[in-house]
Amino acid sequence: MLKTYNLVFTLLFFIILNPVFGQKITKSQRDSTYAVLKVKPNTKEKVDKLISLYKKAVRVKIPSEEIIDDAIEIAEKIFYIKGLGVSYDRKGLAARYKSDYANSITYHKRALNYLDKTTDTLLKIKCLNNLGVSYRKLNLEKEAFNFYFQALDLSEKIKHIKSITIALNGIGNVFIDTKEYDKALYYFKRVYLLDIKRKNIRGQEYSLSNIGETYLYKKLYDSAYFYINKALELTKKFKHKQSEAIRYNLLGLLFQKKGEYQKSTNFYKEAIPLFTKENNIRYLSNTLINVGKNQLHLGEYKNAIENITIGLNSAKTIKSKENISLGYNALVDYYTITKNYKEALNSHKIATAFNDSIVNEASQKSIISMQVEYETAKKDAQIQELAKENELSKNEAQKSFNRLIIISSLGLVGIIVLLYLLRLYRKNSDLELENKNSELQNYVLQVKELKEKAISKNFSENFSEFGLSKREIEVLQHISEGLSNDEISEKIFVSNNTIKTHIKNIYSKLDVKNRIQAIKKIKAI
C-alpha cells in the first residue's frame, strides 16, 4: 500500500512539475510547483529545482524573489557551494534588470567566490561575463575589461564558442563606451566570423547590428546602414519580431544623426507597434522620445510634445535613467524652440539634478555595496569553512565505512577459507575412513578365502580315504553348509542332474543313505 501511495505521489509531482520545465509557466503553475518543493526534504536536487523554477518565472516576468532566497537559505544549511554560487549569480542578474548595478556587482562577486570552489568552469565563465556587464553599466571600463578578459581566457581554454562570443561582444561594447571604435570593430567582426562558422543566425544578427552601430558612432553612415540593414534582412527572414523592432530603432537613430528626420521617424514608427506588442517599455519610451525630437525638427510641435511626454512618463514608470535624461533634454529643446524659456530652464534644472542624482545614487550604492561585500565575505568564508569541514567529515565517514567493508570482507573471506579447509579436512577424513574400510573388507575377504581353503583342505584330507573326487568333496562341503541341490548347482556352475550324480556317488562311498547321515559322518570324522 505504501509503495502505491509513493508511486501516486511521484506521478502527481511529475505532472505538476512537467509544465514548469517546458517553455513557459503561469503564476498558478509557479505557485503550485513552489508549494510542492517547499515541503520536500532539503537536498541539492531541491535547490537545483528551486533555481530552475526561479529562472522560468523570471523569463515570463513573474516576481519570484522568495524562491531564490529559499534556494540560498537551503544551500547554506546543507553547505551546497555550487547552489549558492548559481543562486547569487541569478540575484545579480535580477538586480541588473532593475538597473541596480551596484548590488548586481555585489551578488555576482559573491557568486564568483563560491563558484571558484567548484569544478564547473562554464558557470564561472557566465558569472565573469555578468560582472563585466554590470561594471560596464556603471562606466567602470577597467573593471569590466578585467572580468571580460578572464571570461574570454577560460572560454578559449575549454573551447566553448558561445561563451567566447559573449566575452568578445562585451569587450567590443566596452570599447564603444570608451569611444575606441576601431578596437570595437575588431572584436565585433571576430564574433561575426564565429557566428557564421557555427551557423548562429541570432548571433549574426546581433554582430551585424553591433558593427553597424559602431560605424554609426564613427559617422560612417553608409557602412552603418549596410550592416544594420543586413541585420534587419536576417531578422525579417527568420521572423524575430522583437529583434526587428530594435533594428528599426537603430535605423531611426542612424537617420536622425544624418539629419533625415522624416526617414528617421518612419523607421521609429515601424518599431512602435512591435515594442507595444512585446510590452518592451524601455525601448518604446526611447523610440517615442526620439520621434518627438524628430518632430521638433519637422515643426510638428503638438505631436512632438505629446510623444516626448508619453515617452518620459513611461521611462519614469520603469525608472529608466537613460530615457528619463533623454526625455528632459528633449523637453529643453521643445521649450526653447517654442520660446517658453522658463519651462526650458526648469526642464534643464530637472535634467541636471536628475543626472547628478544618478551619479550620487551610484556612488552611494557603490559605498553600500562595498560594506555589504566586506560583511558578506566573512559570512561566505565561514560557510565555505563549514562546508569544507562537512566534506572532510563525509570523507572520514566514507573512509571508516570503507575500512569496515574491507575488514568485513577479509573476515568473510577468512570464514570461507576456514569452512573450505574444514570441508577439505572432512573430505580427507571420509576418504581415509573409506580406504580403511576398503582395506578391512579386503582383509575379511582374504580371511574368508583362507578359511574356505582351510576347510576345503580339511575336507580333502579327511575324506581322501573314502576315495572322493575333488568335485565330490566340494559338493559334500556345500551339503555341510546346508545348501540345496539347486544352490550347489548354481554355485559351482553345473547342472542339477550332475549334482544328483555327485551326491549319489558320495552316499555310496561314505556308506550313507541321505544328507543327514552324510552330515553326521562329516562331524564324526
Side-chain angles (χ1 to χ4, degrees):
M1 183 64 73
L2 183 61
K3 288 182 178 178
T4 304
Y5 284 139
N6 286 341
L7 180 61
V8 171
F9 180 81
T10 304
L11 287 171
L12 285 172
F13 183 69
F14 176 78
I15 290 166
I16 291 168
L17 282 186
N18 189 48
V20 176
F21 299 103
Q23 290 300 315
K24 288 185 179 182
I25 61 167
T26 63
K27 189 176 184 299
S28 61
Q29 288 173 337
R30 189 280 312 264
D31 292 341
S32 60
T33 306
Y34 184 39
V36 171
L37 286 172
K38 277 179 77 71
V39 297
K40 291 185 73 67
N42 291 340
T43 61
K44 291 180 180 179
E45 289 76 17
K46 179 178 178 178
V47 173
D48 291 339
K49 285 178 180 177
L50 284 169
I51 294 168
S52 182
L53 177 61
Y54 174 76
K55 287 163 68 176
K56 295 286 183 182
V58 168
R59 196 169 297 163
V60 292
K61 299 178 181 178
I62 301 173
S64 303
E65 290 307 303
E66 72 278 10
I67 296 176
I68 202 68
D69 289 337
D70 266 5
I72 289 171
E73 185 179 349
I74 295 165
E76 285 181 350
K77 285 179 181 177
I78 64 174
F79 308 117
Y80 184 23
I81 298 301
K82 179 180 173 181
L84 283 167
V86 176
S87 296
Y88 278 117
D89 200 40
R90 299 307 307 185
K91 281 187 76 73
L93 283 172
R96 193 175 88 208
Y97 296 151
K98 295 174 185 175
S99 300
D100 187 0
Y101 304 120
N103 274 327
S104 175
I105 288 169
T106 299
Y107 287 130
H108 286 315
K109 277 193 171 181
R110 197 167 182 183
L112 187 61
N113 189 28
Y114 285 115
L115 294 173
D116 273 336
K117 304 297 186 297
T118 72
T119 56
D120 198 321
T121 306
L122 191 54
L123 284 177
K124 185 178 175 181
I125 291 168
K126 288 179 180 177
C127 188
L128 288 166
N129 275 324
N130 286 334
L131 274 165
V133 174
S134 295
Y135 271 113
R136 186 169 63 83
K137 292 292 184 179
L138 285 174
N139 296 320
L140 297 171
E141 287 84 8
K142 183 180 178 182
E143 289 81 359
F145 267 124
N146 178 41
F147 288 109
Y148 277 134
F149 274 114
Q150 284 185 58
L152 180 61
D153 182 53
L154 283 178
S155 301
E156 289 177 338
K157 282 179 181 176
I158 66 170
K159 297 179 181 179
H160 193 267
I161 304 300
K162 183 178 178 181
S163 297
I164 292 172
T165 59
I166 292 170
L168 289 172
N169 271 322
I171 293 167
N173 281 316
V174 171
F175 279 124
I176 290 283
D177 294 339
T178 58
K179 296 180 172 54
E180 297 177 79
Y181 302 122
D182 290 332
K183 291 180 181 178
L185 280 173
Y186 167 77
Y187 285 99
F188 288 144
K189 286 181 178 180
R190 274 187 65 184
V191 176
Y192 182 53
L193 291 175
L194 287 172
D195 286 328
I196 291 174
K197 186 176 180 180
R198 64 190 186 117
K199 298 178 181 179
N200 180 5
I201 302 300
R202 280 193 178 275
Q204 290 175 44
E205 290 176 31
Y206 187 64
S207 297
L208 288 166
S209 184
N210 280 337
I211 293 168
E213 188 176 359
T214 307
Y215 279 121
L216 191 158
Y217 295 133
K218 284 170 67 70
K219 298 181 180 179
L220 298 173
Y221 299 125
D222 289 342
S223 296
Y225 179 76
F226 171 81
Y227 283 101
I228 297 170
N229 193 55
K230 196 172 180 180
L232 180 60
E233 287 173 1
L234 275 179
T235 304
K236 285 181 175 180
K237 182 179 178 181
F238 293 95
K239 299 178 181 178
H240 300 151
K241 288 296 181 182
Q242 188 165 359
S243 298
E244 185 180 340
I246 293 169
R247 307 292 172 255
Y248 284 132
N249 182 275
L250 196 53
L251 284 169
L253 179 62
L254 167 62
F255 285 102
Q256 187 182 77
K257 295 287 185 185
K258 288 181 70 175
E260 298 180 36
Y261 301 113
Q262 188 56 59
K263 200 168 185 178
S264 171
T265 298
N266 292 340
F267 279 115
Y268 278 130
K269 284 184 177 181
E270 290 283 347
I272 289 172
L274 297 174
F275 286 138
T276 303
K277 185 178 179 181
E278 294 291 334
N279 197 32
N280 191 332
I281 298 173
R282 186 169 72 88
Y283 266 105
L284 183 59
S285 66
N286 177 277
T287 302
L288 288 170
I289 293 166
N290 276 314
V291 167
K293 287 177 66 176
N294 287 340
Q295 287 169 334
L296 288 178
H297 290 283
L298 294 169
E300 300 171 7
Y301 304 131
K302 184 179 178 181
N303 292 332
I305 188 60
E306 184 179 335
N307 284 315
I308 292 169
T309 303
I310 294 171
L312 180 57
N313 289 336
S314 298
K316 288 178 180 178
T317 301
I318 62 168
K319 299 178 182 178
S320 172
K321 301 175 180 67
E322 298 86 352
N323 289 341
I324 293 171
S325 178
L326 181 69
Y328 276 116
N329 283 315
L331 284 177
V332 171
D333 292 340
Y334 170 75
Y335 289 123
T336 302
I337 292 170
T338 57
K339 299 181 180 181
N340 190 342
Y341 301 116
K342 183 179 179 181
E343 287 298 330
L345 181 61
N346 187 45
S347 296
H348 177 71
K349 285 179 179 179
I350 294 171
T352 304
F354 186 80
N355 288 331
D356 289 343
S357 72
I358 294 174
V359 175
N360 292 335
E361 184 184 353
S363 300
Q364 187 179 8
K365 284 190 174 183
S366 181
I367 293 168
I368 292 170
S369 68
M370 287 177 67
Q371 291 173 338
V372 172
E373 188 176 341
Y374 173 73
E375 291 169 5
T376 55
K378 291 190 291 184
K379 182 182 178 182
D380 291 343
Q382 190 178 29
I383 291 170
Q384 289 181 35
E385 187 61 33
L386 289 170
K388 188 177 179 182
E389 290 174 9
N390 184 56
E391 193 64 30
L392 289 172
S393 298
K394 284 183 181 178
N395 291 338
E396 190 58 39
Q398 187 63 44
K399 286 179 183 177
S400 299
F401 178 73
N402 291 341
R403 282 196 293 268
L404 181 62
I405 292 294
I406 291 168
I407 293 168
S408 300
S409 300
L410 290 173
L412 183 61
V413 170
I415 291 170
I416 292 169
V417 170
L418 182 60
L419 289 172
Y420 176 75
L421 291 173
L422 286 171
R423 185 172 178 276
L424 195 62
Y425 174 75
R426 185 175 177 180
K427 189 176 180 182
N428 289 337
S429 299
D430 291 344
L431 186 61
E432 189 176 347
L433 184 61
E434 189 179 339
N435 289 335
K436 287 183 179 179
N437 286 334
S438 180
E439 288 177 7
L440 184 60
Q441 286 176 359
N442 289 332
Y443 289 144
V444 169
L445 288 172
Q446 288 175 9
V447 169
K448 187 177 179 181
E449 287 175 2
L450 289 171
K451 187 177 179 181
E452 287 176 353
K453 284 180 180 179
I455 291 169
S456 179
K457 187 177 180 183
N458 288 336
F459 263 80
S460 297
E461 289 175 354
N462 292 338
F463 296 98
S464 59
E465 61 182 88
F466 294 102
L468 295 173
S469 68
K470 187 177 179 182
R471 175 65 79 181
E472 289 169 345
I473 291 170
E474 187 179 357
V475 171
L476 180 60
Q477 185 180 342
H478 289 314
I479 289 170
S480 69
E481 291 173 354
L483 299 180
S484 67
N485 288 356
D486 291 336
E487 288 173 338
I488 296 169
S489 171
E490 192 175 319
K491 193 149 183 115
I492 64 175
F493 304 106
V494 294
S495 68
N496 200 12
N497 289 331
T498 303
I499 295 300
K500 287 180 180 179
T501 301
H502 285 317
I503 291 172
K504 185 179 179 183
N505 290 336
I506 290 168
Y507 287 169
S508 177
K509 290 178 182 181
L510 291 179
D511 192 23
V512 295
K513 294 181 179 179
N514 52 47
R515 284 175 179 260
I516 294 171
Q517 289 179 357
I519 290 169
K520 283 182 179 180
K521 192 152 191 172
I522 291 169
K523 289 181 179 180
I525 295 172

